Amino acid sequence: MRRLLALLCVIHAEEEIVSIVTTAEGFERGATARQLPAYDLYNRAVHAASINDMAPAVQMLEEALTIFPEMPEALINLGNFYGDLSGDGKMELSHAIDLYQKAIQYADFPRITAQAESNLGNLLQRRAGKDLQGLAEAAEHLEKAVQADPTFMDARFNLATLLQDLNRIPEARAQYRAVLELDPTHGNARLNLANTYFEAGASDEAAKIQWTLVDDDSIAESVRLNALNNLGQTYRDANRHGMAEEVFQRAVELFPEDFTSLANLLIARRTLCNWWMYEDTQRLLVDAARKACDLLDERLARNASIHRRDVQLPLMPYDASLLQYVDLVLGRRVAAARTLQSFGKRKAGPPQLKRRTQLRVGYLSFDFREHPMGYLTRRLVSDPVYVQAVALSYGEDDASNNRARAKRGEFVELFDVDATKAHALMQHADLDVIVDLMTHTRGARLELASESVAPSGSSL
């Protein structure tokens, strides 16, 4: 009995608060003698990470958690590394998610809870790609972050961007405005708020906000650059191509090395049949696109993040296809890279063509409805012996005759279906060829056309 009492006394002494510690983030809490070395390691790890010395930073975080497994700040920062939120780590998403969940469990300050929930939401958003169910789960965590700390601007801003991706525009605008109430100078909130109006077709309202950013010398140069390019796109969408060219020209003059601005200027001038420096500009863009693809491949090889903030592609796939100096290999690399950045994964290779007497052709379209394309597709190539047409429809049912006619044959309903389920449905159709009837027209869902569900594919 005496030995047991002595042991209990030793344990009690080890767990006794011996010091008040302050973390690198400014949180103060009592620490036991056992925990003090963990706090020292943690603060040294934060300093190492601040000077981009990541390997020792990760090692010290791991050691700190070995000593004190419940330290929420260390769990969050180690999660950031494995989730590669810093942009130069090593992605182990399931491990990062586990670390954030533990941080939420052990958090003892509202801001720590908010930070862990926010980072977990960001990670789930990236993993979800275009999957609506995954995005909804990510939004729940970001909403919890805002509830834990309503003044946490990063959480509000991230929630707003996700709500915008989910097309919950009124809620997204409310969150952007809440961010601007906390910080009226928040350039990206103003930029994205303008985008919500642009996406809704309210070009004048979008341009009004974008001009305030363009003329504000106090904001970050990167925000001004994005505002100029977005403003140019707003004018292009409104068929004001002369104004678009002027804005893109201003972007190039302010930021001569930004290839996105250069590509936008080239496209604007092509629309206006202005061929000044056209070939030289093409060569610059092609060289930049090739280097960007090389960088993306290099980051993929070491399992690092390939988000658009990490690798900026100067050309969109459609624009690349219109440049005479883009060969087929580079065009495919640009398309694959853009798909990978947009949907979070490299698409699987197409299935093998099956040996059979009847070719199964799937036609992917928004317009099996009362629409010119609905009439043009009424007589799809369908030989009862050699070809079987399958309508892959992601447009809303308008109860028209065209819709009814399309449904008489094989018909796959993809309206309001997320990309993961759509892939399964199209795969179940057992297609030999898939034909995208929309490509880059309004209403197109390029993520469906990019799914490898048939050995061959084409676009109209």
Side-chain angles (χ1 to χ4, degrees), residues 353-370:
L353 185 64
K354 297 179 180 179
R355 289 184 176 273
R356 51 188 170 198
T357 58
Q358 189 180 56
L359 195 68
R360 294 180 58 79
V361 181
Y363 294 90
L364 187 65
S365 180
F366 183 87
D367 294 327
F368 293 111
R369 58 190 176 105
E370 189 65 28

Side-chain angles (χ1 to χ4, degrees), residues 371-445:
H371 182 274
M373 185 59 77
Y375 286 94
L376 291 172
T377 55
R378 289 175 71 171
R379 299 178 67 181
L380 291 172
V381 176
S382 185
D383 185 304
V385 177
Y386 298 109
V387 178
Q388 174 61 53
V390 181
L392 309 171
S393 173
Y394 53 84
E396 189 171 3
D397 188 349
D398 63 350
S400 65
N401 290 332
N402 286 339
R403 184 75 167 201
R405 182 184 291 268
K407 284 186 172 182
R408 289 175 194 162
E410 283 199 50
F411 188 91
V412 180
E413 180 60 79
L414 302 176
F415 175 67
D416 205 21
V417 173
D418 64 69
T420 302
K421 186 176 179 181
H423 175 90
L425 290 170
M426 291 190 294
Q427 202 165 42
H428 184 71
D430 192 25
L431 302 170
D432 298 305
V433 180
I434 186 168
V435 180
D436 180 13
L437 299 177
M438 300 294 293
T439 58
H440 294 268
T441 56
R442 191 179 296 275
R445 289 186 62 182

Side-chain angles (χ1 to χ4, degrees), residues 1-2 14 27 97 101 104 112 129 160 165 186 260 266 287-288 301 313 342 388 395 400 403 428-429:
M1 179 65 71
R2 286 182 181 176
E14 287 181 351
F27 297 112
I97 289 170
Q101 289 172 337
I104 293 167
I112 294 177
D165 287 344
H186 198 296
T260 299
L266 188 79
D287 185 55
L313 292 166
S342 297
Q388 174 61 53
S400 65
R403 184 75 167 201
H428 184 71

Side-chain angles (χ1 to χ4, degrees), residues 51 68 105 115 125 241 259 277 352:
I51 58 174
F68 183 15
Q105 179 183 350
Q115 185 70 68
Q125 180 181 2
H241 298 289
F259 289 105
M277 299 290 289
Q352 294 296 313

Side-chain angles (χ1 to χ4, degrees), residues 161-173:
T161 60
L162 179 50
L163 291 171
Q164 187 175 351
D165 287 344
L166 289 169
N167 204 33
R168 291 160 59 179
I169 300 303
E171 295 171 78
R173 286 177 185 161

Side-chain angles (χ1 to χ4, degrees), residues 201-218:
S203 298
D204 291 343
E205 187 65 30
K208 186 189 302 181
I209 300 173
Q210 288 159 348
W211 271 118
T212 66
L213 289 163
V214 169
D215 294 332
D216 188 349
D217 294 333
S218 67

